[in-house]
Amino acid sequence: MSSKVRTRFAPSPTGFLHVGGMRTALFAWLVAKQGGGQFILRIEDTDQKRKVEGAEEHIVECLAWLGLIPDEGNKERIRQSERVKNGIYQNWAEKLIESGRAYADPYSPEQVQEFRAQAQADKKPFLYRNHRPDNPPQWEPGLPLRFKSEPKEYVTHDAVMGDIKTGPEVVDDFILIKADGFPTYNFAHIVDDTDMEISHVIRGQEFIASLPNYRNLYEALGIEPPIFATVPHIMNEQGNKKLSKRDGAKDILDYRSEGYLPETMTSFLATLGWNDGTEQEIFTVDELVKKFSLDRVQKSGARFDERRLLWTNGHFIREMELSELYKKVAGFWPKTADKYDDDYKKKVLSLVQERLKYFAELPELSSFFFEEPPVDKNLIENHKKLKQYDKSQLKEMLETTKTKLEGIRNFKADAIQKALNELLEQTGEKPIVLFSLIRIAVTQAPASPGLAETLEVLSKDVCMHRIHRQIADFQV
Ligand code: GLU
């Protein structure tokens, strides 16, 4: 093996990419960047039946969104199906046949099934090699080609999982080339990782049980294996099973359309099962390139916590310059914002920036700035303090407020805040009562940005009108 760092992401184009696949890609990319090496994209499309139209482009788009641009295989795709056409796997298979380490499998699937059933009846694990034919036929396309294993004990070092000890009973004769002429994953990835001089094979947990078989094949080929790194599963929020679509494993690009930032995704994915040994929970890409290490990836499954994702995104949104954020949220305003100018929308954005967790939330947080919200009686009826007041008391408070605010000449937050404070003294009410009431009257929302700032942006006329409307509502 050369000492160059070369990692690869080797997805099968069988559907959309979700957090698990994306995290594997990120880890591989980080290891490559950190080692000054290359990150390679290889499309593993030998299972033509499972291939999904558009999946390959989708994968490339997901990688591009997070800035994980492959050094090889991005534009000039590396596809296993093309390597099949070029006879690459066949050549390697022939080498194994010549050295006596591969043979044609003469059994029909029904016969193999019988062997299996027999092993089960005998309460023994099924091993194909117990049925290895003495005189296999000459291999020809159309027959499966099997590896002739040499079972032995192994201690396999995995950069994440540590040393894995296995006995000879887990090494078996597996299929190299299927009856349809396509190589299996088990064979093709070893050929490809060797040809592409991959130094670190970083992949999901589903392949860990096959490591002894792979080692046996590497030995048969006389090749020193790469560094293995097995990334644990991503678990659901309760941590009791692998994350599924039901628990929110969605298409990575859905996060983009909901207004998550790529920097959120990289930080969140990296910390799904990895930390730097401190309490730090949010990392920039540059920090990750410096600090990431496979030996700090945890061995057990990592819990997918959607609230942490929201919190991380909120953090990056708050950190962003207003002008930059304004550009990014362009497609997310409510329809009613169309008739407002940039200046007004920027003011609104500066107020909601603090609370915005993802861009698709923008209409919910800002619509009252653009259209008159309908009066929502529940807001007062369910308010823990306001529900204790009579309508006539509330009406009186609002009338006093209206008169006070009307008297402000320069309707700016400072002056408004001063007036609001005076109103507290005047009415003898607490902020939780008076300010909540005013906020509900003007926004009809359960929460809003700072009251004085909100009133300023809405303008005096709009505030007067909405307070008046609330007063009228108390009368009916
Ligand atoms: N094609 C395999 C998959 O998508 C990749 C496994 C690997 O990274 O080697 O599961």
Side-chain angles (χ1 to χ4, degrees):
M1 197 184 65
S2 71
S3 58
K4 283 182 296 180
V5 175
R6 283 172 63 84
T7 64
R8 81 322 189 255
F9 179 47
S12 305
T14 53
F16 63 74
L17 205 55
H18 53 80
V19 282
M22 201 71 225
R23 183 189 58 168
T24 306
L26 174 64
F27 285 2
W29 183 86
L30 287 171
V31 169
K33 293 301 123 182
Q34 184 165 73
Q38 280 93 40
F39 170 64
I40 292 145
L41 172 64
R42 180 173 77 223
I43 304 293
E44 301 208 322
D45 59 350
T46 54
D47 194 345
Q48 297 283 318
K49 290 192 294 294
R50 292 181 58 222
K51 203 168 146 183
V52 168
E53 215 42 59
E56 187 178 307
E57 286 315 315
H58 168 85
I59 291 162
V60 172
E61 205 177 334
C62 288
L63 292 173
W65 181 46
L66 296 197
L68 315 180
I69 310 295
D71 299 296
E72 291 170 26
N74 196 33
K75 294 229 161 60
E76 306 250 317
R77 296 292 155 72
I78 303 170
R79 296 190 190 96
Q80 283 185 330
S81 57
E82 275 158 33
R83 292 169 58 78
V84 170
K85 278 192 227 140
N86 296 336
I88 291 166
Y89 308 106
Q90 170 109 11
N91 291 346
W92 281 66
E94 273 158 18
K95 276 193 240 167
L96 285 166
I97 297 171
E98 271 162 35
S99 63
R101 294 301 302 273
Y103 61 93
D105 176 348
Y107 301 117
S108 66
E110 292 74 28
Q111 282 170 304
V112 178
Q113 192 44 43
E114 267 174 41
F115 299 152
R116 252 180 225 285
Q118 190 55 51
Q120 207 173 6
D122 298 345
K123 297 201 170 32
K124 283 196 188 131
F126 169 70
L127 282 169
Y128 190 92
R129 59 177 156 81
N130 290 341
H131 306 275
R132 197 185 280 166
D134 290 331
N135 293 305
Q138 177 98 7
W139 181 64
E140 58 189 61
L143 281 179
L145 183 72
R146 273 192 194 263
F147 176 53
K148 188 173 176 187
S149 61
E150 284 182 1
K152 56 166 88 160
E153 284 183 0
Y154 284 111
V155 177
T156 305
H157 184 73
D158 184 284
V160 174
M161 299 294 172
D163 285 345
I164 305 165
K165 258 195 190 165
T166 50
E169 69 286 352
V170 297
V171 179
D172 198 9
D173 292 3
F174 58 90
I175 295 184
L176 301 168
I177 308 251
K178 294 176 282 182
D180 66 5
F182 282 94
T184 55
Y185 165 77
N186 291 338
F187 182 44
H189 87 275
I190 289 183
V191 170
D192 291 342
D193 287 340
T194 306
D195 261 358
M196 295 165 201
E197 298 183 1
I198 300 301
S199 58
H200 297 65
V201 168
I202 301 164
R203 64 184 152 199
Q205 213 174 333
E206 53 275 38
F207 303 100
I208 198 162
S210 303
L211 285 178
N213 277 334
Y214 300 156
R215 289 206 52 194
N216 214 246
L217 179 56
Y218 277 112
E219 279 172 13
L221 291 165
I223 294 164
E224 198 190 318
I227 294 168
F228 299 120
T230 298
V231 179
H233 287 317
I234 296 180
M235 311 298 281
N236 66 2
E237 208 163 331
Q238 295 69 40
N240 55 12
K241 65 178 180 59
K242 207 177 145 198
L243 185 74
S244 68
K245 285 184 192 168
R246 263 232 207 116
D247 311 297
K250 55 189 176 190
D251 181 341
I252 286 293
L253 293 183
D254 284 348
Y255 291 108
R256 182 176 66 179
S257 37
E258 287 170 18
Y260 286 86
L261 295 161
E263 47 271 48
T264 297
M265 295 313 288
T266 43
S267 175
F268 176 74
L269 292 173
T271 50
L272 268 177
W274 172 85
N275 63 66
D276 70 344
T278 72
E279 296 289 294
Q280 188 171 341
E281 283 196 69
I282 294 182
F283 295 86
T284 63
V285 175
D286 288 347
E287 283 176 314
L288 289 172
V289 171
K290 278 197 209 104
K291 297 181 171 177
F292 181 77
S293 71
L294 287 168
D295 60 5
R296 288 206 59 88
V297 174
Q298 72 188 41
K299 294 186 178 59
S300 56
R303 281 177 204 217
F304 180 81
D305 181 353
E306 195 127 37
R307 280 169 315 223
R308 202 166 66 81
L309 178 65
L310 277 172
W311 171 75
T312 308
N313 206 47
H315 165 88
F316 281 111
I317 288 177
R318 284 193 298 280
E319 297 263 291
M320 210 177 273
E321 290 276 340
L322 184 66
S323 53
E324 201 195 331
L325 181 63
Y326 186 67
K327 276 191 231 136
K328 292 207 192 294
V329 301
F332 291 91
W333 290 105
K335 264 239 135 318
T336 43
D338 286 355
K339 23 182 208 310
Y340 290 82
D341 61 15
D342 290 338
D343 207 38
Y344 184 78
K345 284 192 276 189
K346 270 188 197 157
K347 280 188 193 147
V348 172
L349 188 61
S350 77
L351 292 189
V352 300
Q353 179 171 12
E354 183 67 26
R355 297 181 52 229
L356 191 62
K357 298 280 188 300
Y358 60 104
F359 301 162
E361 236 188 355
L362 191 55
E364 193 190 318
L365 297 187
S366 71
S367 62
F368 63 81
F369 283 106
F370 304 107
E371 65 183 325
E372 189 169 290
V375 174
D376 181 354
K377 292 190 192 299
N378 292 325
L379 289 172
I380 289 180
E381 282 164 19
N382 298 335
H383 190 278
K384 59 177 185 295
K385 295 283 173 200
L386 295 177
K387 68 180 177 194
Q388 299 164 7
Y389 286 74
D390 291 343
K391 276 186 181 176
S392 61
Q393 291 172 294
L394 297 173
K395 184 168 158 265
E396 201 184 312
M397 275 185 236
L398 279 184
E399 270 161 358
T400 315
T401 304
K402 189 161 173 269
T403 312
K404 184 83 184 171
L405 296 182
E406 234 158 17
I408 303 175
R409 260 208 261 124
N410 191 9
F411 205 71
K412 294 277 178 244
D414 286 354
I416 299 170
Q417 190 59 57
K418 191 164 159 277
L420 289 173
N421 293 343
E422 287 166 9
L423 270 169
L424 289 178
E425 277 182 36
Q426 218 172 308
T427 58
E429 296 295 346
K430 295 220 166 70
I432 176 82
V433 173
L434 185 66
F435 294 175
S436 299
L437 178 64
I438 301 172
R439 184 171 45 69
I440 290 172
V442 295
T443 67
Q444 299 297 329
S448 77
L451 184 57
E453 291 77 8
T454 300
L455 297 183
E456 176 189 326
V457 171
L458 279 170
S459 83
K460 188 169 168 182
D461 283 354
V462 169
C463 294
M464 291 304 112
H465 172 73
R466 291 191 187 172
I467 292 173
H468 177 77
R469 203 173 56 132
Q470 186 74 59
I471 293 172
D473 192 71
F474 288 140
Q475 266 151 357
V476 287

